[in-house]
Amino acid sequence: MSGAGEAKPMTARRSGPLRGAATIPGDKSVSHRALILGALSVGETRIEGLLEGGDVLDTAAAMRAFGAEVERVGPGAWRVHGVGVGGFAEPDDVIDCGNSGTGVRLIMGAMATTPIAATFTGDASLRLRPMGRVTRPLSLFGAAAHGRSDGRLPLTVIGAADPAPIEYRSPVASAQVKSAVLLAGLNAPGITTLIESEPTRDHTERMLRGFGAEVETEVTAAGRYIRLVGQPELRPASLTVPRDPSSAAFPVAAALIVEGSDVLVPGIGLNPTRAGLYATLREMGADLTFENERAEGGEPVADLRARFSPDLKGVETPPARAASMIDEFPILSVVAAFADGRTVMRGVKELRVKESDRIDAMARGLEAMGVRVEETEDSLTVHGLGAGGVPGGGVAAARLDHRIAMAFLCLGLGARDGASVDDASPIDTSFPGFGALMAGLGARFDAATAAA
Ligand code: S3P
């Protein structure tokens, strides 16, 4: 959905203290999965707190195209009448997943073991992203993918008529690849096994169990073996989507770098496979507390409180932590600019194939804001300038990437001369209401005079 309209330049100005409570929208990863598993179960699934951002709305539209009834019954409240495992109908038009790698890759998995064809496309960002990492394992089930020679979208997947279960070791640490394989395994008889070397977000495994599938995870020295028993009858579920820790990261980070701030973000999902940023911020000396730790909808949640932290120190993030904070490196790079000393992010080459090449996007944007950086294929180093030390005043290119746009707007709130982004419109893919939420805390955003 992003990238089709006009660019919306935006400027963030150095702001006074950010204060108050921020209600963060639902988790994007969990929202996609709730719609897809709802569509694959028989009967009515009820979802509360669904993220109503562009990416998830595209997945909702796709589930309708495959034959499920998907209905919005109130703000964040949705009902899905599923068609059952193997029950997807052949869509009569192209499936446009907009900006969403998660949407397209999970949906390809969900349809790949049903004998139907579907053609997938997306926006200019998604059409640059690699799809072979998903179509290769899907071909082992008996599916075929036809399209561009470089394996990118648009492409057509022909689902397997007689799918065979597979055992597959994922060559990349990717929850999208893992999830595509498990969703495809649902309609293959017997046991499908996905092996991952590094743990990645486990929302699919948790939610599959919630819908009645048999999934077990065995951790051995050779990796994490995730085994799914195929052809279950998925039972519809009632679920509440936790608030997105990857979205919460933006107001949290802004509070850490803007003098005098004290911000509470209630009810944030803190699944350990997603919480790497928060561990890193604490190592940097961030004044960050977790209150009211509890479980909601099968996921751990807590209220986060972040206060201005004038003595942040640079740190090194190890490759083993990368997967648990893979979407948070843009905002970590911003916090790092306000820390004393260097922050080195290692083992992050996957950032080069996100909504943009996030190493390059952050490096060029930070340079435009007066911050020194170094990059390799697999790392990013930010030379911090300390609290109040970031000049800012530049324009960062958002490159159709919501997290790049939000990261630089947060930087501008603490930088001497603010910061602009050339296009804030992609933010709606994951965090609708970001501007109003931040303004409610005291952020000075200005849409009119941006992008000098
Ligand atoms: C996601 C997995 C991650 C992450 C993305 C959401 C998911 O991608 O970057 O924003 O919901 O499974 P990879 O699996 O490609 O690392």
Side-chain angles (χ1 to χ4, degrees):
M1 294 213 351
S2 76
E6 250 178 59
K8 288 201 315 206
M10 193 172 276
T11 293
R13 303 194 182 283
R14 184 168 199 165
S15 298
L18 304 177
R19 287 179 182 268
T23 304
I24 304 296
D27 189 284
K28 184 150 69 86
S29 293
V30 174
S31 295
H32 283 294
R33 289 159 170 80
L35 290 169
I36 295 169
L37 288 184
L40 289 172
S41 56
V42 180
E44 185 182 275
T45 286
R46 293 159 178 250
I47 309 167
E48 299 291 333
L50 189 86
L51 170 65
E52 294 176 336
D55 281 8
V56 175
L57 297 179
D58 287 333
T59 289
M63 291 302 97
R64 285 192 195 105
F66 282 102
E69 279 176 44
V70 182
E71 190 195 357
R72 182 178 192 264
V73 292
W78 289 65
R79 303 272 179 274
V80 183
H81 283 265
V83 292
V85 169
F88 272 3
E90 189 163 271
D92 60 11
D93 201 352
V94 172
I95 303 295
D96 187 346
C97 289
N99 193 243
S100 182
T102 307
V104 75
R105 293 184 177 127
L106 269 57
I107 296 167
M108 281 181 186
M111 58 74 59
T113 46
T114 301
I116 55 174
T119 301
F120 295 89
T121 193
D123 72 3
S125 153
L126 192 55
R127 293 196 308 273
L128 284 174
R129 299 180 66 184
M131 292 298 141
R133 55 179 54 198
V134 166
T135 55
R136 271 189 294 278
L138 296 183
S139 71
L140 304 176
F141 285 100
H146 300 287
R148 293 167 64 183
S149 50
D150 60 9
R152 293 172 178 172
L153 300 178
L155 57 83
T156 298
V157 177
I158 319 273
D162 191 11
I166 68 168
E167 177 169 308
Y168 187 70
R169 180 178 281 276
S170 181
V172 274
S174 165
Q176 295 178 0
V177 172
K178 169 174 67 179
S179 302
V181 168
L182 293 175
L183 292 172
L186 279 174
N187 201 34
I191 293 175
T192 286
T193 305
L194 183 287
I195 306 150
E196 56 181 8
S197 309
E198 298 287 343
T200 63
R201 64 191 68 195
D202 62 356
H203 305 298
T204 302
E205 299 92 300
R206 285 174 188 250
M207 205 183 287
L208 276 167
R209 288 186 199 109
F211 278 79
E214 272 181 65
V215 185
E216 61 160 51
T217 300
E218 187 192 355
V219 182
T220 73
R224 291 164 67 85
Y225 286 70
I226 301 152
R227 299 189 183 88
L228 166 87
V229 179
Q231 299 187 321
E233 182 170 309
L234 295 184
R235 294 188 299 264
S238 279
L239 52 104
T240 301
V241 178
R243 300 185 189 282
D244 198 322
S246 300
S247 297
F250 296 98
V252 163
L256 301 179
I257 63 176
V258 174
E259 199 172 335
S261 298
D262 184 348
V263 167
L264 183 72
V265 281
I268 301 304
L270 279 183
N271 180 315
T273 60
R274 297 283 297 280
L277 173 74
Y278 296 104
T280 303
L281 292 175
R282 280 185 152 176
E283 285 173 14
M284 296 174 83
D287 185 348
L288 188 62
T289 52
F290 303 92
E291 300 168 7
N292 272 324
E293 293 187 37
R294 56 200 185 272
E296 276 177 15
E299 296 274 350
V301 302
D303 305 335
L304 303 194
R305 181 161 201 167
R307 296 183 182 89
F308 174 54
S309 303
D311 299 316
L312 295 170
K313 302 270 176 288
V315 292
E316 293 206 10
T317 63
R321 194 184 287 168
S324 70
M325 54 183 296
I326 195 66
D327 291 336
E328 280 64 77
F329 287 102
I331 192 62
L332 176 64
S333 317
V334 166
V335 175
F338 291 84
D340 285 314
R342 313 183 306 165
T343 292
V344 188
M345 296 160 251
R346 297 192 195 281
V348 294
K349 66 174 184 297
E350 272 294 298
L351 297 182
R352 296 205 180 270
V353 291
K354 294 295 178 187
E355 285 83 332
S356 67
D357 175 341
R358 286 182 173 162
I359 295 181
D360 192 59
M362 288 311 299
R364 303 293 80 76
L366 285 168
E367 283 168 352
M369 305 299 166
V371 181
R372 198 156 66 82
V373 299
E374 288 155 59
E375 62 179 292
T376 67
E377 184 55 25
D378 196 26
S379 74
L380 177 63
T381 300
V382 176
H383 294 270
L385 296 166
V390 176
V395 182
R399 306 189 189 186
L400 288 182
D401 189 330
H402 52 129
R403 297 197 205 278
I404 300 298
M406 288 188 279
F408 282 107
L409 289 172
C410 289
L411 178 143
L413 300 175
R416 281 204 294 275
D417 297 323
S420 297
V421 294
D422 65 345
D423 185 12
S425 64
I427 293 172
D428 286 345
T429 61
S430 71
F431 198 159
F434 169 76
L437 178 143
M438 295 299 292
L441 298 173
R444 294 170 64 207
F445 285 166
D446 184 350
T449 61

